Amino acid sequence: MSKQELPVVGQDIAECCPALLTAPLDEEQAEAVAKVFKALGDPVRLRLLSMIASRAGGEVCVCDLTPAFDLSQPTISHHLKLLRQAGLIDCERRGTWVYYWLLPAATDRLARVLTRPAGAPLADTAAAAR
């Protein structure tokens, strides 16, 4: 399966959530966004995401990720699995190695959730949501 064919697991954020600072989230919206924040709430997962996202060429082999941590390979794989379940990354097995890449649409959606209208003071944004 190529990168272009992969479904976006965390797509519910794109369809459900207004910008956090422009309108209140309902319960379903908050749950969708919280799943992603929960995945990013661990320093190891945050570092893994950063290492994957910043890699030249857009993808990285798990064999290049594991040495950066004082953790076992199964623990690294578990953290990568949680990032995949949150819809932030995806992967492909090639022989004995697994390669990971960022799903930019997921981070773009997350950025939109956290963005307020340009130049609008927070008080004006809150008043506009009422």
Side-chain angles (χ1 to χ4, degrees):
M1 188 177 270
S2 73
K3 293 179 194 177
Q4 288 76 24
E5 298 170 0
L6 294 170
V8 178
V9 177
Q11 194 163 4
D12 49 345
I13 292 175
E15 297 166 358
C16 79
C17 301
L20 184 67
L21 302 178
T22 60
L25 299 177
D26 65 26
E27 186 175 341
E28 185 178 316
Q29 294 167 335
E31 286 180 22
V33 175
K35 287 179 187 177
V36 177
F37 281 129
K38 185 173 182 180
L40 294 174
D42 182 278
V44 171
R45 290 191 290 271
L46 198 53
R47 284 187 60 209
L48 283 166
L49 184 70
S50 176
M51 291 171 72
I52 294 165
S54 65
R55 183 66 169 225
E59 62 183 31
V60 61
C61 178
V62 70
C63 63
D64 295 324
L65 295 170
T66 306
F69 299 90
D70 190 25
L71 298 169
S72 69
Q73 185 277 324
T75 300
I76 296 297
S77 291
H78 172 73
H79 285 295
L80 291 165
K81 176 184 169 186
L82 294 175
L83 289 171
R84 283 182 48 232
Q85 289 174 339
L88 293 165
I89 63 171
D90 212 334
C91 66
E92 177 180 73
R93 178 173 292 282
R94 298 180 197 152
T96 58
W97 297 112
V98 179
Y99 289 79
Y100 291 87
W101 57 85
L102 177 73
L103 294 174
T107 53
D108 291 349
R109 286 190 299 272
L110 190 57
R112 282 194 303 273
V113 167
L114 294 172
T115 301
R116 63 187 174 91
L122 195 51
D124 289 350
T125 303
R130 288 186 218 142

